[in-house]
mmCIF file of all heavy atoms in Angstrom:
data_model
loop_
_atom_site.group_PDB
_atom_site.id
_atom_site.type_symbol
_atom_site.label_atom_id
_atom_site.label_comp_id
_atom_site.label_asym_id
_atom_site.label_seq_id
_atom_site.Cartn_x
_atom_site.Cartn_y
_atom_site.Cartn_z
ATOM 1 N N THR B 89 46.455 4.525 5.131
ATOM 2 C CA THR B 89 45.243 3.889 5.643
ATOM 3 C C THR B 89 44.164 4.930 5.838
ATOM 4 O O THR B 89 44.439 6.112 6.008
ATOM 5 C CB THR B 89 45.501 3.218 7.008
ATOM 6 O OG1 THR B 89 46.178 4.160 7.827
ATOM 7 C CG2 THR B 89 46.324 1.959 6.859
ATOM 8 N N TYR B 120 17.676 5.152 12.015
ATOM 9 C CA TYR B 120 18.923 4.968 11.272
ATOM 10 C C TYR B 120 19.823 6.191 11.391
ATOM 11 O O TYR B 120 19.353 7.310 11.576
ATOM 12 C CB TYR B 120 18.626 4.766 9.786
ATOM 13 C CG TYR B 120 18.100 3.401 9.418
ATOM 14 C CD1 TYR B 120 16.735 3.154 9.361
ATOM 15 C CD2 TYR B 120 18.967 2.366 9.098
ATOM 16 C CE1 TYR B 120 16.241 1.904 9.003
ATOM 17 C CE2 TYR B 120 18.497 1.115 8.731
ATOM 18 C CZ TYR B 120 17.135 0.892 8.692
ATOM 19 O OH TYR B 120 16.662 -0.344 8.331
ATOM 20 N N GLU B 134 35.347 0.627 -12.447
ATOM 21 C CA GLU B 134 36.279 -0.439 -12.148
ATOM 22 C C GLU B 134 35.545 -1.697 -12.579
ATOM 23 O O GLU B 134 34.535 -2.051 -11.967
ATOM 24 C CB GLU B 134 36.540 -0.438 -10.645
ATOM 25 C CG GLU B 134 37.824 -1.094 -10.233
ATOM 26 C CD GLU B 134 37.951 -1.074 -8.716
ATOM 27 O OE1 GLU B 134 37.145 -1.764 -8.065
ATOM 28 O OE2 GLU B 134 38.826 -0.374 -8.185
ATOM 29 N N ASN B 182 25.195 25.560 13.512
ATOM 30 C CA ASN B 182 24.029 26.416 13.616
ATOM 31 C C ASN B 182 22.815 25.853 12.863
ATOM 32 O O ASN B 182 21.693 25.904 13.347
ATOM 33 C CB ASN B 182 24.382 27.813 13.089
ATOM 34 C CG ASN B 182 23.445 28.857 13.637
ATOM 35 O OD1 ASN B 182 23.071 28.802 14.816
ATOM 36 N ND2 ASN B 182 23.027 29.780 12.783
#
Side-chain angles (χ1 to χ4, degrees):
Chain B
T89 48
Y120 284 93
E134 202 182 67
N182 202 40

